[in-house]
Amino acid sequence: MADAKVIPFDDDRSRGSAQRAARRRSAPRRAGDPVAGVQALPGQQDAPRNGQLQDGQPQDGQQGGEPQAARSEPAGRAPEPRGGGKWDRRVAGGLAFLRRRLTGEYEVDDFGYDEELTDQVLMSLLRPFYEKYFRVEVKGIENIPADGGALIVANHSGTLPLDGLMMQVAVHDNHPQGRHLRLLAADLVFMLPVINELARKAGHTLACAEDAERLLERGELVGVMPEGFKGIGKPFSERYKLQRFGRGGFVSTALRTGSPIVPCSIVGAEEIYPMVGNAKTLARVLGFPYFPITPTFPWLGPLGAVPLPTKWTIQFGEPIPTDGYPPEAAEDPMLMFNLTDQVREQIQHSLYKLLVQRRSVFF
């Protein structure tokens, strides 16, 4: 919020116009100046005001008795480094980062998550897409707990899983505690060369109940998209219509750990690759769950793989608590079905509301 401006009240309105004109011509009274009607001390009678000498020239290095450097910075903000100091720190930090990578002085957890690499490199690579290309707007970030484990459940779409990556940046950059989101990914992600290693470094792990429970018990934020390939590979004609949420395994995991479920609705990802067809035969040959055909791919070659610059909105809904249920509730199929349906309906309802509110696909 912009700084408020203090507008002084003119309590001398009853005085004559000549006095007001004289006040306008004179410099405003500052703290320490003699009050009108009081004789100034001999050493102060001819003291220059507003940092100027008698001929109107400013004093060297001073303004109003305060050092110039101290007055040039806003209150409460550290002065900006001068003489390239900002870039010097960046270069020094980059060299220190490279030294730690070369010497192995960095930590990786038992899932392969490299927090330093994620913060310094991977997030920096994703942030331009998040801020400039998709211009993501985040709502309801306060619904994510400040600490402790929580399961974020979101819709899945877009032909390529960019929505999960943008959700990861949204949580890290907007949450007051800068929390990290650990995504549960499909088996295919960990079968692809290079992608497998990057996914592990970014904190992703296999979408199985065992890994999810371990992360939640550690107090981590875990993200899951229960639609899976059914959501990400659905045709454009079915956009923003949620597919089936599996068998409710994510609800069982939340019940076992007593973690709240935070529904998440993502609008904008459906239109980045409008999928108008699916070459199923080619998909089976390549071992993919689908092979998308869009208005630009494969007709334009590699250029057709560039996503459309749609405007995104990510909204986190009110958490659904699970810590009030007994331990055996995780084995109750009817309870899991009801909670799964509740989460799904809340996400679908939020999607419809966001679609009504948005002005355009691209703005």
Side-chain angles (χ1 to χ4, degrees), residues 72-85:
S72 61
E73 298 294 340
R77 181 183 300 175
E80 289 291 332
R82 298 181 180 179

Side-chain angles (χ1 to χ4, degrees), residues 118-119 123-124 126-128 130-131 138 141 166-181:
T118 301
D119 287 345
M123 285 291 176
S124 299
L126 294 173
R127 199 165 284 122
Y130 173 88
E131 295 178 349
V138 178
I141 195 69
M166 294 300 104
M167 183 171 65
Q168 189 175 8
V169 180
V171 172
H172 180 267
D173 287 4
N174 292 275
H175 196 277
Q177 306 300 324
R179 301 198 66 180
H180 292 270
L181 180 64

Side-chain angles (χ1 to χ4, degrees), residues 197-279:
E197 187 67 20
L198 289 176
R200 288 291 185 185
K201 293 291 186 182
H204 307 172
T205 188
L206 197 63
C208 63
E210 292 78 10
D211 285 1
E213 286 183 23
R214 287 170 59 194
L215 289 171
L216 289 172
E217 288 171 353
R218 294 181 183 182
E220 299 280 359
L221 285 180
V222 178
V224 62
M225 295 175 167
E227 292 177 280
F229 290 123
K230 300 187 302 294
I232 197 174
K234 64 178 177 287
F236 187 67
S237 59
E238 298 181 11
R239 59 193 179 277
Y240 298 114
K241 296 179 181 178
L242 294 183
Q243 305 299 301
R244 190 171 65 91
F245 270 20
R247 300 177 182 178
F250 69 92
V251 172
S252 176
T253 302
L255 288 171
R256 286 193 180 94
T257 59
S259 304
I261 301 174
V262 180
C264 177
S265 303
I266 304 175
V267 166
E270 292 274 16
E271 295 88 0
I272 60 174
Y273 295 111
M275 185 170 165
V276 296
N278 180 15

Side-chain angles (χ1 to χ4, degrees), residues 92-104:
L95 293 176
F97 173 79
L98 290 176
R99 180 185 60 79
R100 288 192 297 271
R101 309 312 295 187
L102 294 174
T103 59

Side-chain angles (χ1 to χ4, degrees), residues 240-241 267 347-357:
Y240 298 114
K241 296 179 181 178
V267 166
I347 295 174
Q348 184 70 81
H349 182 67
S350 297
L351 286 175
Y352 287 149
K353 287 181 62 177
L354 293 173
L355 288 172
V356 171
Q357 294 171 1

